């Protein structure tokens, strides 16, 4: 174990200089990852990854497939367990304490590549079931809230339809609305546009840009470099379970430090 | 466009000749239907004529008049009063009730074991899942008739009443069945039965109320324990109000047999265990497949919203799993009911067993078989109608 760690010389990024103890309480990062490592059997997917995300910050994580970027954000809401290092969300450390996990999850919304809407419930019920069961909302209030967010993603007229009756882009917008109904402070996006037809990608990205403009803290795993350039505060490249490059979009796209980043950008921007 | 349409219509009218008719698909379909119907009717008539002539030649009566005649044979296990002086019709009813009782007990047992084993199969506990897998492979890969015979042989090789195996003071295992102590009959028992039904109804009403309450106030009320309390508590209350009679009828050995208590015959037990275990293997696989059919992403979506594990199961996994489970479960139930006719090989007096006796005594094989077939068809159709109705309740709307 110690061998593996010693060999890894991850250029751990430190976006913000560590604040003095008195500042930490109010200015500290909302999400703090310190030397997070994870193994699938003998295969190490994450090598000492560290990351700080401040309130309202928009982080885009990109990288070749298998680089561990999805695993990383799935660790943040404990869909995957990390085995080493620490993850602290809103001051709560992620351990296997069930109460803490639920507390953290209630604060984090997640949007998946394959939407994962509940096919046995109509759109409105998909949006209200979470607030009702987890936040103990009244049905009436939950429905009002749901309609509000359906307006926001511009499909209020589909409220009574079932997920499989909608197009991919519409389903993903419903999924975003469903996450927002839980009124999270942080949103995680796991390749939200990868399963969509090209003409539907735009409607989903527009929704995400609006969300970013409203000040939501976001971490997006995506290959949409245009989105990264216009929206992100911090763009991160992951490769082989390590963070290879991290910086503002200007630095990342204009003047990448790592040759790995240059190679990746060349490949992804070729066409 | 209009040009093409116009020329098509003009061309279609004059072509109503004989060859158009002969080559038209609808005409050919109609002719085939008529020919098929004629063939079926002809074969049916031929068979019917044949049977009637043969029976007349052998001096065997036809028709269902024999159902009124005295049967002159006794039946070992019966749920209604019946003696050798009753009619063949009543003997059939005795057989039908026996078939229904062993089928109902079988469906209950098979469902209970099947769901338990099916859930165990996908358990993360290595030992549990391997044991469950082994169980499934054994019970569903041995012919059901062999399994029934196996249990029958096993039960018949138990010691006789004099050397009965005592089971923790509640009963005795002998080659004449399982005899166990029961509370002595008391008038309060019927009241307790009513209380039980009332408890179940109240528990259902309670869960409907809990749902309404949750939707209007947002407070979740767990009705699991209150429901269990109602279903168990009301009969217990009735028992207490009835003076809490504690008299128990103990089985006492007398001669070659026991008196008192209740005895379940080895025939019934062997048949029940055989068909129930066999079906439970298939049901376990159906349940496993149903639970695994819910995509992992569904569970992840629910968990990422902070759902508690029970909510994930109750509101996300189960509604989707039932949709996959119910249709094949129906055919397992129907198949179990039909498998109960294996009763013949262990001597349990079910419908087929009694039907065979009736057939031997009256010689009216066609009618006896017809009665049996009609009864099984009716039971099976009722079962699948009920399950189809349930299936429509849990179906998913896709279009």
């Amino acid at each position: 174990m110690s061998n593996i760690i010693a060999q890894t010389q991850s250029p751990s990024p430190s976006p913000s200089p560590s604040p003095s103890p008195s500042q930490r309480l109010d200015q500290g990062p909302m999400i703090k990852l310190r030397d997070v490592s994870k193994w699938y059997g003998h295969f190490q997917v994450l090598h000492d990854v560290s990351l700080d995300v401040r309130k309202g910050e928009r982080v885009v994580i990109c990288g070749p497939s298998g680089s561990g970027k999805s695993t990383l954000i799935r660790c943040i809401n404990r869909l995957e367990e990390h085995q080493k290092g620490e993850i602290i969300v809103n001051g709560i450390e992620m351990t296997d304490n069930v109460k803490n996990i639920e507390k953290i999850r209630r604060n984090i919304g997640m949007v998946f590549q394959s939407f994962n809407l509940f096919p046995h419930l109509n759109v409105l019920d998909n949006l209200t079931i979470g607030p009702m069961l987890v936040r103990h909302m009244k049905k009436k209030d939950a429905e009002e809230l749901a309609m509000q967010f359906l307006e926001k993603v511009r499909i209020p007229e589909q409220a009574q339809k079932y997920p499989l009756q909608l197009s991919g882009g519409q389903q993903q917008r419903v999924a975003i609305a469903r996450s927002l109904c839980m009124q999270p402070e942080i949103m995680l996006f796991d390749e939200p546009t990868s399963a969509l037809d090209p003409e539907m990608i735009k409607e989903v990205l527009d929704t995400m840009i609006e969300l970013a403009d409203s000040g939501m803290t976001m971490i997006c795993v995506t290959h949409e470099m245009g989105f990264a350039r216009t929206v992100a505060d911090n763009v991160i490249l992951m490769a082989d379970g390590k963070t290879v490059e991290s910086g503002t979009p200007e630095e990342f796209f204009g003047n990448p430090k790592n040759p790995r980043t240059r190679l990746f950008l060349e490949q992804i921007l070729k066409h | 466009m209009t040009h093409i349409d116009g020329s098509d219509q003009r061309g279609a009218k004059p072509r109503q000749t004989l060859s158009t008719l002969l080559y038209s698909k609808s005409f050919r379909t109609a002719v085939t239907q008529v020919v098929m119907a004629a063939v079926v009717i002809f074969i049916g008539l031929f068979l019917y004529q044949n049977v009637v002539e043969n029976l007349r030649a052998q001096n065997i009566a036809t028709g269902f008049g024999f159902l009124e005649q005295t049967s002159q044979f006794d039946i070992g296990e019966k749920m209604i009063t019946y003696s050798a002086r009753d009619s063949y019709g009543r003997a059939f009813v005795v057989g039908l009730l026996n078939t229904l009782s062993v089928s109902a007990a079988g469906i209950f047992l098979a469902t209970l074991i099947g769901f338990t084993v099916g859930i165990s199969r996908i358990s993360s506990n290595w030992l549990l899942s391997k044991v469950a897998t082994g169980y499934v492979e054994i019970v569903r890969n041995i012919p059901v008739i062999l399994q029934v015979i196996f249990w029958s042989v096993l039960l018949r090789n138990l010691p006789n009443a004099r050397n009965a195996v005592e089971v923790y003071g509640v009963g005795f295992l002998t080659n004449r069945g399982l005899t166990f102590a029961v509370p002595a009959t008391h008038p309060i028992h019927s009241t307790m039965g009513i209380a039980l039904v009332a408890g179940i109804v109240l528990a259902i009403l309670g869960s409907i109320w809990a749902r309404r309450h949750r939707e209007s106030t947002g407070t979740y009320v767990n009705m699991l324990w209150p429901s269990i309390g109602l279903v168990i508590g009301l009969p217990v209350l009735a028992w207490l109000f009835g003076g809490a009679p504690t008299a128990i009828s103990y089985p006492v050995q007398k001669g070659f047999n026991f008196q008192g208590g209740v005895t379940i015959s080895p025939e019934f037990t062997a048949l029940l265990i055989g068909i129930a275990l066999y079906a439970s293997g298939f049901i376990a696989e159906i349940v496993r497949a149903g639970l695994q059919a819910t995509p992992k992403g569904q569970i992840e979506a629910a968990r990422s919203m902070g759902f508690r594990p029970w909510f994930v199961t109750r509101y996300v996994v189960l509604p989707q799993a039932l949709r996959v489970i119910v249709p094949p479960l129906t055919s397992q139930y129907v198949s179990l009911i039909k498998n109960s006719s294996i009763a013949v090989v262990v001597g349990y007096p079910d419908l087929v067993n009694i039907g065979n006796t009736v057939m031997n005594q009256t010689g009216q094989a066609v009618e006896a078989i017809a009665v049996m077939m009609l009864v099984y068809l009716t039971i099976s159709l009722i079962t699948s109608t009920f399950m189809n109705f349930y299936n429509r309740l849990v179906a998913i709307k896709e279009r």
Side-chain angles (χ1 to χ4, degrees):
Chain A
M1 208 99 106
S2 56
N3 260 347
I4 302 169
I5 294 157
Q7 282 164 12
T8 1
Q9 290 165 354
S10 64
S12 65
S14 45
S16 53
S18 55
S20 65
S22 58
Q23 284 177 305
R24 196 172 290 151
L25 278 172
D26 40 357
Q27 284 198 318
M30 206 165 195
I31 302 172
K32 197 163 113 184
L33 272 63
R34 282 289 169 273
D35 301 327
V36 171
S37 294
K38 177 172 175 61
W39 288 262
Y40 285 128
H42 290 293
F43 176 71
Q44 188 168 8
V45 254
L46 296 178
H47 290 264
D48 299 326
V49 178
S50 295
L51 173 69
D52 282 344
V53 181
R54 281 167 286 119
K55 190 171 167 56
E57 190 174 359
R58 279 99 60 165
V59 178
V60 166
I61 304 176
C62 52
S65 58
S67 58
K69 51 197 192 308
S70 282
T71 308
L72 180 69
I73 69 164
R74 287 162 61 88
C75 280
I76 295 173
N77 68 351
R78 196 72 168 189
L79 288 182
E80 303 280 355
E81 247 172 76
H82 64 288
Q83 283 131 4
K84 216 188 110 271
E86 54 178 18
I87 298 176
I88 297 169
V89 181
N90 263 344
I92 306 170
E93 190 181 353
M94 182 74 82
T95 56
D96 63 354
N97 179 325
V98 183
K99 280 273 163 259
N100 279 355
I101 294 174
E102 276 171 15
K103 221 182 277 172
I104 293 176
R105 277 180 180 161
R106 255 177 272 161
N107 247 332
I108 304 180
M110 187 165 201
V111 175
F112 300 86
Q113 181 178 351
S114 50
F115 329 135
N116 294 345
L117 293 172
F118 305 132
H120 57 292
L121 300 176
N122 68 19
V123 168
L124 192 63
D125 290 340
N126 259 286
L127 267 61
T128 55
I129 187 169
M132 279 163 60
L133 289 181
V134 179
R135 291 211 177 268
H136 306 295
M137 252 190 201
K138 294 177 192 168
K139 189 174 188 175
K140 229 182 85 222
D141 298 350
E143 281 177 352
E144 256 167 44
L145 185 74
M147 288 314 295
Q148 219 174 300
F149 281 113
L150 280 180
E151 303 265 1
K152 220 169 220 178
V153 298
R154 295 199 203 87
I155 34 175
E157 71 281 1
Q158 310 285 10
Q160 297 303 325
K161 285 205 181 159
Y162 283 81
L164 296 177
Q165 295 171 318
L166 304 181
S167 76
Q170 289 173 326
Q171 288 191 52
Q172 193 60 296
R173 283 185 285 156
V174 172
I176 293 172
R178 179 175 69 173
S179 295
L180 293 176
C181 277
M182 300 298 298
Q183 294 167 306
E185 292 180 68
I186 303 159
M187 285 287 282
L188 305 176
F189 291 85
D190 188 1
E191 305 201 28
T193 55
S194 299
L196 296 176
D197 291 339
E199 72 265 28
M200 309 207 164
I201 291 178
K202 190 182 174 297
E203 61 185 57
V204 171
L205 287 180
D206 285 348
T207 310
M208 288 169 64
I209 290 168
E210 266 172 51
L211 191 60
D213 290 344
S214 74
M216 177 67 76
T217 312
M218 292 163 76
I219 304 180
C220 311
V221 169
T222 183
H223 296 297
E224 297 298 329
M225 288 302 114
F227 174 80
R229 216 188 276 265
T230 49
V231 171
D233 298 314
N234 187 10
V235 185
I236 293 168
L237 177 78
M238 281 192 74
D240 305 320
K242 293 167 219 160
T243 46
V244 173
E245 178 105 30
S246 166
T248 62
E250 294 78 46
E251 293 166 358
F252 187 90
F253 293 104
N255 184 23
K257 285 168 225 133
N258 197 304
R260 192 77 181 73
T261 316
R262 258 170 261 149
L263 183 70
F264 175 77
L265 288 175
E266 252 169 50
Q267 280 170 341
I268 204 162
L269 298 175
K270 205 186 280 174
H271 300 292
Chain B
M1 277 299 250
T2 44
H3 278 291
I4 299 167
D5 283 354
S7 66
D8 250 21
Q9 275 170 5
R10 252 179 284 134
K13 272 178 191 166
R15 270 199 237 139
Q16 280 288 2
T17 57
L18 185 63
S19 71
T20 351
L21 191 63
L22 283 180
Y23 285 105
S24 95
K25 201 167 183 181
S26 51
F27 175 72
R28 288 187 167 194
T29 313
V31 170
T32 325
Q33 297 273 1
V34 171
V35 171
M36 272 303 288
V39 169
V40 169
I41 290 169
F42 175 75
I43 293 176
L45 272 177
F46 172 75
L47 288 175
Y48 177 74
Q49 281 286 321
N50 206 14
V51 168
V52 168
E53 272 170 34
N54 282 329
L55 290 177
R56 199 177 297 145
Q58 292 176 31
N59 267 331
I60 295 174
T62 50
F64 289 92
F66 72 99
L67 289 175
E68 308 274 318
Q69 294 164 16
T70 312
S71 66
Q72 294 169 333
F73 67 87
D74 206 350
I75 300 174
E77 275 176 74
K78 53 217 166 197
M79 305 180 74
I80 52 172
T81 55
Y82 170 86
S83 74
R85 273 168 307 201
D86 281 313
S87 67
Y88 284 121
R90 199 171 173 84
F92 266 123
V93 175
V94 171
L96 170 62
L97 290 176
N98 281 343
T99 292
L100 289 180
S101 68
V102 78
S103 300
I107 285 177
F108 177 75
L109 197 63
T111 308
L112 200 70
I113 300 175
F115 272 72
T116 312
V117 175
I119 293 165
S120 307
R121 274 209 60 174
I122 47 175
S123 159
S124 49
N125 182 325
W126 184 86
L127 185 65
L128 191 62
S129 82
K130 290 296 173 235
V131 168
T133 309
Y135 171 84
V136 167
E137 293 308 338
I138 290 170
V139 295
R140 71 174 182 160
N141 285 319
I142 296 174
V144 60
I145 195 165
L146 283 184
Q147 294 192 43
V148 171
I149 293 172
F150 169 79
W151 293 110
S152 173
V153 169
L154 199 76
L155 291 172
R156 278 174 193 291
N157 277 309
L158 286 170
N160 59 25
R162 282 170 195 276
N163 309 307
V165 183
E166 196 171 343
V167 190
Y168 301 113
V170 282
F172 299 93
L173 271 173
T174 72
N175 56 4
R176 295 196 179 188
L178 170 67
T179 305
F180 54 91
V182 286
T185 39
H186 189 279
I188 198 65
H189 287 168
S190 54
T191 318
M192 284 172 69
I194 296 167
L196 178 71
V197 175
I200 293 171
V201 171
L202 282 177
I204 294 169
L205 290 178
S207 64
I208 294 173
W209 169 83
R211 187 199 165 95
R212 295 238 175 94
H213 182 70
R214 173 170 64 74
E215 286 177 355
S216 62
T217 66
T219 325
Y220 178 77
V221 186
N222 189 342
M223 285 300 288
L224 181 67
W225 293 111
S227 298
I228 293 173
L230 278 171
V231 173
I232 297 173
L234 280 185
V236 170
L237 269 182
W239 176 73
L240 286 174
F241 274 111
T246 51
I248 287 179
S249 160
Y250 284 106
V252 179
Q253 195 185 320
K254 241 183 192 169
F256 294 113
N257 215 334
F258 286 99
Q259 270 196 341
V262 161
T263 302
I264 300 175
S265 76
E267 295 88 1
F268 178 87
T269 316
L271 180 65
L272 174 66
I273 297 179
I275 60 175
L277 293 194
Y278 182 70
S280 75
F282 290 93
I283 291 174
E285 283 300 272
I286 291 166
V287 169
R288 179 188 61 81
L291 292 176
Q292 285 180 336
T294 307
K296 228 180 151 197
Q298 293 284 315
I299 299 162
E300 285 177 352
R303 280 169 52 195
S304 75
M305 290 198 284
F307 279 39
R308 274 184 254 158
W310 163 243
F311 286 166
V312 178
T313 311
R314 166 67 186 80
Y315 293 100
V316 178
V317 177
L318 272 187
Q320 299 188 56
L322 282 180
R323 167 183 65 117
V324 182
I325 289 173
V326 170
L329 192 62
T330 310
S331 45
Q332 277 312 310
Y333 286 171
V334 170
S335 144
L336 183 141
I337 294 170
K338 290 180 292 176
N339 278 344
S340 73
S341 61
I342 287 173
V344 173
V345 302
V346 289
Y348 178 70
D350 81 321
L351 185 69
V352 173
N353 203 343
I354 287 171
N356 280 341
T357 314
V358 172
M359 207 159 33
N360 284 336
Q361 291 198 4
T362 62
Q364 289 191 280
V366 178
E367 288 86 351
I369 295 278
V371 168
M372 290 190 263
M373 282 165 59
L374 201 68
V375 168
Y376 278 112
L377 193 64
T378 312
I379 301 175
S380 300
L381 285 179
I382 290 171
T383 310
S384 47
T385 308
F386 176 75
M387 295 298 275
N388 283 342
F389 166 73
Y390 181 72
N391 194 32
R392 226 170 306 131
L393 285 183
V394 297
I396 281 185
K397 227 177 263 166
E398 297 201 4
R399 290 276 154 242

